[in-house]
Amino acid sequence: MSDTPHAATIARIDRALERIERAAKLQAEANRTLESRHAALRTRIGDAIGAHLAEGEDWYYLRYAGVRPDCQGQGLGGLTIRAGLAEATAAGKPALLETATEGNVGIYLRLGFAVHEEWDVPAKSGPHFWSMSRPV
């Protein structure tokens, strides 16, 4: 192959492809490591939330009412929470939620929730949460 006119170009392309393959393998390994770390943090957050839920009480837990950043500011989050509150009210049950976003606390207060606990996820740089409830 070294005697062909394009041998040097082919060799450079082969080396570049090898570097790309090595980089792809490294990236895949980094993604697996990151996903493993995120899974562990999600488990710690889930366990921490579970520890702050009232046991033995009959309530509606409003979970994961997020809105994509490009759709925020249009009332969609409030609409979602109000839909959950309507179901809780129809069932005659109080509602409970948590937020790790300080800016959402005011939204939930305006919807009739009260902060009944603030706490931090027991993990390195774990998020701060506000547990909030709304009576029937």
Side-chain angles (χ1 to χ4, degrees):
M1 180 152 90
S2 62
D3 56 349
T4 64
H6 302 292
T9 301
I10 291 171
R12 280 196 306 274
I13 291 171
D14 285 342
R15 286 192 302 273
L17 288 173
E18 288 172 5
R19 285 193 306 272
I20 290 169
E21 287 174 1
R22 281 194 308 270
K25 287 178 184 176
L26 289 172
Q27 184 63 52
E29 183 178 324
N31 288 346
R32 283 190 300 276
T33 300
L34 188 58
E35 178 56 33
S36 175
R37 288 180 183 163
H38 283 177
L41 180 59
R42 282 192 305 269
T43 297
R44 282 195 298 268
I45 291 172
D47 291 347
I49 287 173
H52 291 271
L53 296 177
E55 289 186 33
E57 291 188 26
D58 196 15
W59 37 260
Y60 268 50
Y61 179 55
L62 307 180
R63 181 177 226 164
Y64 303 124
V67 177
R68 286 188 347 217
D70 61 318
C71 295
Q72 291 175 355
Q74 301 174 38
L76 299 174
L79 185 65
T80 303
I81 295 298
R82 280 191 288 282
L85 290 175
E87 285 190 34
T89 299
K93 297 178 183 179
L96 179 72
L97 60 76
E98 277 95 15
T99 183
T101 305
E102 186 172 8
N104 289 346
V105 173
I107 294 168
Y108 299 137
L109 290 172
R110 286 190 298 280
L111 290 169
F113 285 88
V115 175
H116 64 83
E117 185 177 13
E118 288 188 45
W119 50 278
D120 295 302
V121 171
K124 184 179 179 182
S125 69
H128 182 79
F129 274 85
W130 289 262
S131 292
M132 304 180 76
S133 57
R134 181 177 179 260
V136 180

